[in-house]
Amino acid sequence: MLSSVQTPRLLRFPNFQSLSLKCLHTSQSQLTTPLPTSTTPPPPPSQILTIRKSLLSREITAVDLATTFLQRLRHTEPQLKSFLYVSDVVLKEAEEIDRKIANNEELGPLAGVLVGVKDNICTADMPSTAGSKILENYKPPFDATAVGKMKKCGAIVFGKTNMDEFGMGSTTEGSAYQVTANPWDLSRVPGGSSGGSAAAVSARQCMVSLGSDTGGSVRQPASFCGVVGLKPTYGRVSRYGLVAYASSLDVIGCFGSSVADAGILLHAISGHDKFDATSSKREVPDFASQFIARDHLDSKPLKGLRVGLIRETIEDGVDPEVITSIRGAASHLEELGCTVTEVSLPSFSLGLPAYYILASSESSSNLSRYDGIRYGKQVVADELNSLYGESRAGGFGSEVKMRILMGTYALSAGYYDAYYKRAQQVRTLVRENFRAALEENDILISPAAPSAAYRIGEKKNDPLSMYAGDIMTVNVNLAGLPALVLPCGFVDSSSAALPVGVQMIGAAFEEEKLLKVGHIFEQTLQGCSFIPPIVADELAC
């Protein structure tokens, strides 16, 4: 049966026979608490490639696979609340894949892969509410280009994941429907705005997921939830079908439990799209060609690679344990043959205020269409102005209203030059600083966030503190560059160890290089395991 966005906490699932949970991650699965090196399992393989091999060899059926994930979702979702909607045709689509296998028909590269999709990415015949009441029950008549490309590759859309309303937030507490919890500690947030997508992959509720990243909304939750998050270069992936927040900053990104999975998913959704004039016509490389097995690596597989550690990201205001983890990641890169030096980005601190002026200004324009007439839930009113005002007042949450007001003010006569124009000038400085740094270095590294996951409610009433949490990520969006976040260590909290992610930043359209470095880093990282406690016992089989 269908779940409903009106009652998202009461998800109902398709009928299926009760099966024991199959261990889809053997001793090679992803890593939960630090382990002695001698007992550390090998790094995570690609779930996508492993599953494809198992399906083609008839070791498992797509229906059994889907049933396993549905059952895990049923067990974990009441605590996590990652999904707003679960598809009612998952098993039907899995049966179709099994039929193709039985008939020896050709399978797409994502055949049988269960994908969570952030609720601001359009999916035909499924709700796409952007986490907002103003779009409650809205079902698009089309798929976003990224979703359509996944489906052509054989992927199964598992459901729609929870998010901060219209992508405006850093904790997923800003959803109009529910608050998602962090799989590592249920009292903490998963990050935002793509927190539902990150939590779902972390808890192995789905194999991979799509999110959107306007100022860090893929990378920060990836760090908080201990998964891989990949923000592509602006233009690499079509934005057609992505509900607009800030059009010059928005990108669709990928989550996976391994670098390989994130790279394979990115390859599937990348490429030029005639429906999006900002999508690049550059040829999409075969990202999988960069994934070299650990057994074939040299002793110094990254010898000669120049890495710049951004000095401004490891100074005052950053949790000391986060700095320790990032310096540990830098040391590990040196062991792999890299030359690591500190670099300075003089405009780094200016990026945060510039980002919020630009993003708010663009959102003020983009969200003007939700007036109850053109788009959005309509209220009954006697006058047109009252209809507009009451529809928007009742449909938007407090954070969205605040950002619309900020953006409208910044664009108003008399303030445009002082705020919006100056923010665009800062954006140019940020781009130039990154260009200069990346001429001297192959990649740059930094934390993905100044701290580990916050407690639920900790930042909700302190928006400036919440905005400051985006300082590590917003500059990358202003410059339109690609960035990869992958787990590198832990911070000890009072109740549990919380994951920390390292952010790797590359030059425009150099995702291939980031994926190569990240894959080698991930395979050679010793002493850590990144499976959250909520599913650790199940996946230990």
Side-chain angles (χ1 to χ4, degrees):
M1 299 293 292
L2 291 176
S3 60
S4 168
V5 291
Q6 290 100 319
T7 56
R9 298 187 181 187
L10 303 175
L11 294 179
R12 293 176 287 170
F13 303 92
N15 291 326
F16 55 88
Q17 294 181 342
S18 177
L19 299 177
S20 61
L21 291 174
K22 301 179 184 295
C23 183
L24 299 177
H25 305 260
T26 63
S27 61
Q28 290 184 320
S29 62
Q30 284 216 111
L31 318 173
T32 146
T33 54
L35 300 172
T37 302
S38 60
T39 61
T40 299
S46 165
Q47 283 194 79
I48 294 174
L49 296 179
T50 301
I51 286 166
R52 182 178 180 82
K53 181 179 178 181
S54 297
L55 288 173
L56 292 176
S57 64
R58 312 300 209 268
E59 293 176 18
I60 190 172
T61 68
V63 169
D64 282 347
L65 193 65
T67 300
T68 296
F69 276 84
L70 283 166
Q71 189 164 349
R72 183 181 298 133
L73 183 68
R74 185 177 65 177
H75 289 171
T76 57
E77 186 60 13
Q79 298 166 282
L80 293 181
K81 301 181 178 64
S82 303
F83 282 86
L84 292 175
Y85 179 90
V86 177
S87 172
D88 65 338
V89 295
V90 170
L91 293 179
K92 182 178 179 181
E93 293 182 6
E95 289 172 356
E96 177 61 18
I97 291 171
D98 287 335
R99 185 196 65 76
K100 289 183 177 181
I101 293 172
N103 294 334
N104 294 316
E105 296 180 26
E106 185 176 352
L107 292 181
L110 297 182
V113 175
L114 302 167
V115 185
V117 177
K118 188 175 179 179
D119 198 40
N120 63 344
I121 301 173
C122 289
T123 46
D125 302 321
M126 291 186 192
S128 298
T129 71
S132 178
K133 287 290 186 182
I134 204 163
L135 286 175
E136 189 171 20
N137 296 321
Y138 172 63
K139 290 186 178 182
F142 66 98
D143 284 323
T145 297
V147 173
K149 287 189 172 188
M150 289 194 310
K151 288 183 176 180
K152 286 182 180 179
C153 290
I156 299 173
V157 176
F158 200 53
K160 304 303 291 291
T161 57
N162 194 29
M163 59 176 287
D164 285 305
E165 186 179 5
F166 283 101
M168 300 181 189
S170 304
T171 63
T172 313
E173 295 172 284
S175 168
Y177 301 104
Q178 61 191 26
V179 175
T180 299
N182 191 311
W184 289 86
D185 182 345
L186 298 177
S187 70
R188 294 180 183 269
V189 302
S193 62
S194 306
S197 291
V201 171
S202 178
R204 309 316 193 259
Q205 294 177 319
C206 58
M207 299 172 195
V208 291
S209 64
L210 293 183
S212 66
D213 192 311
T214 304
S217 292
V218 165
R219 290 161 288 150
Q220 184 240 37
S223 178
F224 281 9
C225 292
V227 296
V228 176
L230 177 56
K231 174 218 172 288
T233 306
Y234 185 83
R236 173 69 82 184
V237 178
S238 170
R239 292 184 295 111
Y240 181 73
L242 172 64
V243 177
Y245 164 18
S247 301
S248 73
L249 302 166
D250 297 339
V251 296
I252 292 177
C254 308
F255 290 99
S257 56
S258 68
V259 172
D261 282 347
I264 292 169
L265 182 60
L266 176 64
H267 185 269
I269 66 175
S270 294
H272 178 66
D273 177 19
K274 65 181 181 181
F275 296 115
D276 177 11
T278 65
S279 65
S280 173
K281 294 184 179 180
R282 285 176 179 250
E283 182 179 351
V284 180
D286 180 11
F287 299 130
S289 65
Q290 301 300 313
F291 303 145
I292 304 171
R294 180 175 180 174
D295 294 342
H296 294 88
L297 293 177
D298 298 330
S299 60
K300 299 286 186 180
L302 296 177
K303 185 177 181 180
L305 192 82
R306 301 165 300 167
V307 177
L309 174 57
I310 302 174
R311 183 178 302 128
E312 288 82 0
T313 66
I314 52 172
E315 296 180 336
D316 292 345
V318 182
D319 188 317
E321 289 186 90
V322 170
I323 295 176
T324 299
S325 293
I326 300 306
R327 289 198 179 279
S331 296
H332 182 53
L333 288 169
E334 288 181 321
E335 293 170 359
L336 295 171
C338 298
T339 300
V340 181
T341 57
E342 287 192 12
V343 299
S344 177
L345 299 181
S347 64
F348 186 84
S349 63
L350 303 176
L352 189 67
Y355 164 80
Y356 273 101
I357 289 171
L358 295 174
S360 297
S361 297
E362 292 188 31
S363 71
S364 170
S365 175
N366 279 325
L367 271 61
S368 64
R369 70 193 69 174
Y370 301 103
D371 55 14
I373 299 292
R374 291 172 291 176
Y375 296 95
K377 192 175 181 180
Q378 185 181 107
V379 303
V380 177
D382 295 330
E383 297 178 348
L384 185 61
N385 285 337
S386 297
L387 187 151
Y388 286 154
E390 292 174 23
S391 294
R392 289 169 67 82
F396 290 140
S398 59
E399 182 67 27
V400 174
K401 292 174 185 175
M402 182 166 64
R403 296 199 193 193
I404 290 173
L405 289 171
M406 288 168 56
T408 303
Y409 179 82
L411 292 174
S412 61
Y415 297 98
Y416 179 91
D417 286 349
Y419 292 101
Y420 185 79
K421 182 179 178 180
R422 185 166 295 183
Q424 290 286 24
Q425 292 169 336
V426 169
R427 185 176 193 170
T428 300
L429 290 177
V430 169
R431 286 174 173 167
E432 286 301 307
N433 281 184
F434 271 117
R435 183 193 57 77
L438 287 166
E439 283 181 352
E440 300 295 327
N441 298 275
D442 295 295
I443 66 169
L444 305 176
I445 63 172
S446 75
S451 69
Y454 323 127
R455 291 194 177 278
I456 292 174
E458 182 180 340
K459 305 286 186 180
K460 193 171 184 180
N461 297 319
D462 187 1
L464 291 180
S465 178
M466 183 176 70
Y467 298 167
D470 296 334
I471 192 169
M472 303 297 179
T473 53
V474 295
N475 287 279
V476 176
N477 294 80
L478 291 173
L481 301 177
L484 175 72
V485 167
L486 63 159
C488 67
F490 291 91
V491 166
D492 290 326
S493 70
S494 57
S495 56
L498 301 172
V500 172
V502 59
Q503 177 176 223
M504 299 180 180
I505 305 165
F509 297 100
E510 289 195 354
E511 291 89 352
E512 201 171 7
K513 182 184 293 183
L514 292 178
L515 289 166
K516 177 182 178 179
V517 175
H519 185 63
I520 293 173
F521 181 97
E522 176 186 67
Q523 288 190 95
T524 54
L525 186 65
Q526 297 290 323
C528 291
S529 175
F530 295 101
I531 295 176
I534 196 169
V535 290
D537 291 342
E538 174 197 336
L539 299 181
C541 61

